[in-house]
Amino acid sequence: MTTEDRIKLRRVVIDRLDSWQQAGVLQVPKAAARIASGDIPNHPSEFIEPRKTQREAESRPALPTEKAEPEITQSTKELTPAMAKKSGWQAEKTTSLFESPKAAANSPAGMTLEILQQQVAGCTRCNELASTRTQTVFGVGDPHARLCFLGEAPGADEDKTGIPFVGRGGQLLTKIIEACKLKRDDVYILNMIKCRPPGNRNPLPHELSNCRGYLESQLDLIRPEFICCLGAVASQNLLQTTISIGKLRGKVHLFRGVKVVCTYHPAFLLRSPSFKKEAWEDMKLLMREMGVDL
Ligand code: URA
């Protein structure tokens, strides 16, 4: 390893630990600390028996650690096949790296997500949310998913169960995922904030900013290649823009090197089914980018 590599690695480790600290992680068990310091491999492909279709470790670089700078970007027309190839999009690879959800949960990212989940469960940064929630709703799915679905905030059903997108909107999201020839277990589902806002009001700016560190740490650990933002709140807040969802959808954006497709929120689609056509166009765009034939 060259001196330059060592300096880069040190920077990555410091940034990673900073981001965990901002998310409220005050202690890291020995194994996680060794992963962060590069002492042991931090990607399962480096030590788990690879399957034939396993993507290359290089195709999933860690998210850059600089602050979220929205790059409201290229339309798909500007994304060339060469760029697609470089990003490792492969039609046949749509399932988890792991033989079972249990194996995934026991992988380093799975275990570190669990630690983060425990921190989130005890969070009291937002007085109102902490005192009205039944429980926090952290996220669910494959900790190594290529694709994350990002919603806004838990609703009543999610607050009751602790699982994101299980209500009527969640059932529609499950149908959308299945229409994309995926299963809920193949993706990771999470929200911008982890507590239910009372009466299902929109999250307030201070709530979004209090939870931002948790979200970014989650994404740092999962290292998805693609994020699908559901609705205006998730889209505008992730990308830090005020552009309307109608204008954000239908394009590929970048968030810290991860490709982002925005679409309408399932709850909105339940109220306004005529927009399902556009949402399906967005899913087709996303699947095309992922190399999944529909
Ligand atoms: N709406 C969201 O944005 N997230 C959920 O988890 C449920 C409903």
Side-chain angles (χ1 to χ4, degrees):
M1 191 188 280
T2 64
T3 310
E4 202 184 318
D5 286 341
R6 262 185 237 288
I7 292 167
K8 268 194 215 149
L9 183 60
R10 191 164 177 275
R11 190 68 254 154
V12 168
V13 172
I14 290 169
D15 285 346
R16 175 72 59 93
L17 291 172
D18 275 348
S19 106
W20 286 358
Q21 194 174 35
Q22 277 171 27
V25 178
L26 301 177
Q27 279 186 325
V28 255
K30 225 171 173 187
R34 285 173 62 217
I35 293 162
S37 71
D39 190 5
I40 60 174
N42 110 356
H43 193 279
S45 62
E46 293 167 62
F47 56 89
I48 289 175
E49 192 63 17
R51 281 203 213 162
K52 271 208 184 105
T53 56
Q54 185 179 324
R55 61 185 171 267
E56 296 293 321
E58 292 82 356
S59 72
R60 304 196 44 184
L63 299 184
T65 46
E66 67 267 20
K67 204 65 206 138
E69 254 306 296
E71 292 182 49
I72 310 253
T73 59
Q74 312 130 324
S75 76
T76 29
K77 282 190 205 113
E78 296 164 293
L79 295 170
T80 64
M83 286 161 75
K85 200 163 170 221
K86 194 164 164 235
S87 303
W89 306 334
Q90 288 164 9
E92 75 274 27
K93 176 65 188 79
T94 57
T95 53
S96 166
L97 286 170
F98 296 91
E99 296 302 338
S100 66
K102 194 165 171 237
N106 288 334
S107 72
M111 288 186 288
T112 325
L113 276 173
E114 249 177 54
I115 295 167
L116 187 61
Q117 182 165 8
Q118 282 163 23
Q119 296 286 332
V120 169
C123 181
T124 54
R125 286 182 191 179
C126 307
N127 289 337
E128 188 189 16
L129 301 191
S131 62
T132 54
R133 74 184 178 216
T134 305
Q135 58 194 311
T136 54
V137 180
F138 183 69
V140 72
D142 180 355
H144 300 273
R146 292 180 74 200
L147 170 61
C148 285
F149 282 91
L150 178 60
E152 172 182 326
D157 295 309
E158 293 75 22
D159 175 73
K160 221 177 279 166
T161 58
I163 302 168
F165 282 100
V166 289
R168 277 187 70 226
Q171 286 159 26
L172 178 56
L173 176 62
T174 304
K175 281 192 191 155
I176 292 170
I177 292 170
E178 288 170 355
C180 294
K181 298 192 184 163
L182 297 168
K183 296 193 289 295
R184 268 177 79 111
D185 280 353
D186 296 332
V187 301
Y188 195 93
I189 303 173
L190 72 170
N191 282 306
M192 294 298 300
I193 69 166
K194 313 303 180 196
C195 298
R196 180 192 181 207
N200 293 349
R201 62 160 169 75
N202 280 354
L204 300 173
H206 78 274
E207 294 164 350
L208 288 158
S209 94
N210 283 344
C211 235
R212 183 81 183 191
Y214 294 135
L215 172 69
E216 291 189 4
S217 295
Q218 250 176 321
L219 294 174
D220 277 344
L221 289 164
I222 300 165
R223 293 191 292 158
E225 293 169 61
F226 301 91
I227 297 172
C228 179
C229 288
L230 301 167
V233 171
S235 305
Q236 294 176 338
N237 280 281
L238 185 78
L239 299 172
Q240 296 283 286
T241 179
T242 53
I243 297 172
S244 71
I245 180 67
K247 293 213 169 90
L248 290 170
R249 60 157 297 274
K251 298 187 184 97
V252 178
H253 306 271
L254 283 179
F255 170 73
R256 296 165 69 189
V258 180
K259 292 183 175 64
V260 177
V261 170
C262 304
T263 194
Y264 295 113
H265 193 285
F268 170 76
L269 295 176
L270 288 172
R271 291 193 303 272
S272 312
S274 62
F275 285 85
K276 282 185 183 171
K277 192 169 162 288
E278 272 109 319
W280 183 236
E281 289 304 316
D282 297 331
M283 290 304 109
K284 286 198 291 191
L285 163 64
L286 177 59
M287 291 303 116
R288 243 186 346 264
E289 299 296 343
M290 291 180 70
V292 175
D293 287 328
L294 288 181

